[in-house]
Structures are given as C-alpha cells and as structure tokens.
Amino acid sequence: MDIAGRNVAVITGAAKGIGRAIALRLSEDGFDVVINYRNGSASLEELIKEIEGKGRKAAAVQGDVSVFTEAKNIMKQAIDIFGRIDVLVNNAGITRDGLLLRMKEDDFDKVIEVNLKGTFNCIRHVSPVMLKQRSGKIINISSVVGITGNAGQVNYSAAKAGIIGITKSTARELASRGINVNAVAPGFIDTDMTKNLSEKVKENALHNIPLKRFGTVYDVANAVSFLASSNSDYITGQIINIDGGMVM
Ligand code: NAP
C-alpha cells in the first residue's frame, strides 16, 4: 500500500474486534497507530507489542469518544506523541437492541451518543489538524442497517444512517483541502457485537448473504486499508458495503 510518508493513524475503539484488526492492518501498511480505548482489554498490551514487533510505533490513548472534550484530548495526545494525524478511523460503536415499543429513552440516547455524536466529536477535533496539513483521510464505520433499516435497531440504524450523512457533508466541506472522507458499511461481521445474537437471527442473516458466509474483521480492515492509502485519493463521500452482497 502506498501511504506516501503520511503515516500516523488514529483508530477509535481499537482494543478489540474490527478496530483491533484495523490497527494491525494499518501498522502492516506502515502506519504508526494511536489505539483509542474506553475500558481497555487484557489484550491491549499484546496488541501494542504485536504492532511494535512489525517495526511500527503504537500508543494507547484512553477516552470516551461520546464526550466532546475527551475526543479533543484523544487528538491532542496523538499530536503530542506523533506530531501529525493522517488517518482517522471512527470505529467506536455500541448496540442496545430492542423493539421500538420497548426501547428505553436511555438506550436510544446512548447509541446515538457513542456512534453518531462520537463520530462528529472526533471529526470536529481532527479537522483543524488535517486542514493545517492540507491532507488527511477520514474513514467512518457505518453499517448496512444504516441503509436498509433493521427491526430491533431503531437507535443503531438511525446512528449509522446519520454517519452516512456526516460522511457526505464532511466530504463536501473538506474536499478542497485535500481531505477525503469515506465510510464503510459492514454487514454481519463475526465479533463480540454479534456473538450473542440468537441462532435464528444468524441463520436468517446467512440466508440473505449471497457469498454465504459472515464477514471477518479482516474483510473490513482490507477496505479501510485501501481507503487510508493514496490508492483511494480520487474517492470521497462514498460508502463501501462490506457485506458479502447482502445489500445491492
Ligand atoms: P466490538 O467488538 O463490540 O468493539 C467495539 C469497540 O468500540 C470496543 O473496543 C469498545 O471499547 C469501543 N467503544 C465503545 N464505546 C466507546 C466509546 N464511547 N469511546 C471509545 N470506544 C468505545 O464491536 P465491533 O463489531 O468490532 O464493531 C466495531 C464497529 O463496527 C462499530 O462501530 C460497529 O457498530 C461497526 N459494525 C459492526 C458490525 C458487526 O457485525 N460486528 C456490523 C456493522 C458495523 P470498550 O470495550 O472499552 O467499551
């Protein structure tokens, strides 16, 4: 992958799951990485060692992306440590599923706060840095349910649809300064987020996937790697589905 000397990436919620795979993949591409985490996990130190073993630098930065000032601090720390930010991957996300009629106000608010406002907060605070550099890549993790909707996910699908809106508006605002803003929309990816879904839900999902398998974290990381590289320099404001053909 050609990253043309622009080699610092910040990945939110990167201690596990898709974020972790993205951090590893970008380090293989030559990026030094800032691994944002909220609660952390036992494997965080192991992840840092693995990245350092590839000859890249890694820094773990704690912070809740849903809090405006904490998002600001994540970007400040990244600059203090590495001096620049070339790629921001807005990956942090949560679900609190439930049917509309039973959904608690707090379940709606929390999912919007982390997924949607968290994405805004991080973009808001990385933009001045990238504008000054006159370059940057912002990659947001949406979801196919932000396009299709999903019963039981009014909160999550609203947040992920909102991320598509943020992606397109920000792409328009920042394009003239050499900043690309794109999103990926994963379908059903095998992580902690999906592991507790019932067998019936999983069977139904599989039935609707033409490629007849669930996605892996590496499927998502591969697309993010492309969007983080100069190979995607003429692409902005786009949403790439990574879903085995589920939505087309
Ligand atoms: P995951 O394994 O549950 O990981 C989510 C990560 O986000 C965790 O590391 C978590 O950290 C972090 N996080 C949550 N709230 C945070 C906050 N307020 N501030 C900072 N970090 C926070 O989920 P995943 O499947 O890897 O999901 C990653 C992204 O892909 C999410 O945006 C998700 O919506 C999206 N996605 C996933 C799928 C799928 O099928 N898995 C499909 C479409 C889209 P803590 O554990 O410390 O809270």
Side-chain angles (χ1 to χ4, degrees):
M1 279 288 167
D2 181 8
I3 60 171
R6 295 170 175 163
N7 69 333
V8 177
V10 176
I11 303 120
T12 67
K16 63 175 184 148
I18 292 172
R20 187 178 200 279
I22 292 170
L24 275 171
R25 179 58 206 262
L26 293 187
S27 69
E28 282 159 14
D29 292 344
F31 285 94
D32 293 331
V33 293
V34 171
I35 298 161
N36 158 251
Y37 66 98
R38 184 175 54 169
N39 298 318
S41 80
S43 60
L44 191 55
E45 262 182 38
E46 190 191 295
L47 173 62
I48 290 174
K49 278 200 189 118
E50 205 174 331
I51 291 169
E52 287 172 347
K54 294 175 197 295
R56 304 311 320 175
K57 295 185 188 119
V61 174
Q62 198 279 331
D64 180 339
V65 297
S66 70
V67 180
F68 195 68
T69 49
E70 293 195 25
K72 184 174 186 178
N73 184 51
I74 296 166
M75 303 312 151
K76 183 184 176 305
Q77 288 212 45
I79 289 294
D80 288 348
I81 298 166
F82 291 122
R84 55 186 298 127
I85 303 172
D86 299 294
V87 173
L88 166 66
V89 184
N90 282 307
N91 167 78
I94 58 166
T95 49
R96 286 206 186 171
D97 297 350
L99 293 173
L100 171 71
L101 285 178
R102 283 190 225 135
M103 187 171 287
K104 296 195 177 73
E105 185 182 6
D106 188 54
D107 291 338
F108 186 85
D109 290 347
K110 280 274 156 19
V111 168
I112 297 291
E113 277 165 24
V114 174
N115 294 277
L116 184 58
K117 184 147 183 270
T119 297
F120 163 75
N121 287 344
C122 291
I123 292 178
R124 172 68 182 77
H125 294 303
V126 88
S127 294
V129 176
M130 291 182 172
L131 285 169
K132 217 158 132 195
Q133 292 171 180
R134 296 191 79 83
S135 70
K137 305 263 191 187
I138 298 173
I139 302 153
N140 300 320
I141 312 292
S142 178
S143 165
V144 288
V145 306
I147 300 166
T148 61
N150 194 24
Q153 291 195 309
V154 158
N155 48 1
Y156 185 73
S157 59
K160 293 302 188 182
I163 287 175
I164 292 174
I166 288 185
T167 301
K168 293 182 180 181
S169 298
T170 313
R172 287 184 189 278
E173 284 195 30
L174 303 183
S176 64
R177 311 292 187 90
I179 300 166
N180 303 56
V181 188
N182 292 291
V184 296
F188 197 115
I189 310 297
D190 203 4
T191 67
D192 284 355
M193 190 175 267
T194 47
K195 79 173 179 203
N196 292 327
L197 294 173
S198 72
E199 281 311 310
K200 194 166 170 249
V201 168
K202 288 185 188 173
E203 242 171 64
N204 263 346
L206 197 55
H207 181 73
N208 291 317
I209 300 172
L211 287 177
K212 288 294 164 227
R213 68 166 175 89
F214 296 131
T216 69
V217 292
Y218 309 107
D219 291 318
V220 182
N222 284 338
V224 171
S225 160
F226 167 67
L227 290 173
S229 78
S230 59
N231 292 341
S232 64
D233 278 354
Y234 199 54
I235 300 175
T236 199
Q238 303 305 308
I239 318 302
I240 301 180
N241 293 4
I242 306 163
D243 63 353
M246 209 167 147
V247 176
M248 57 171 98

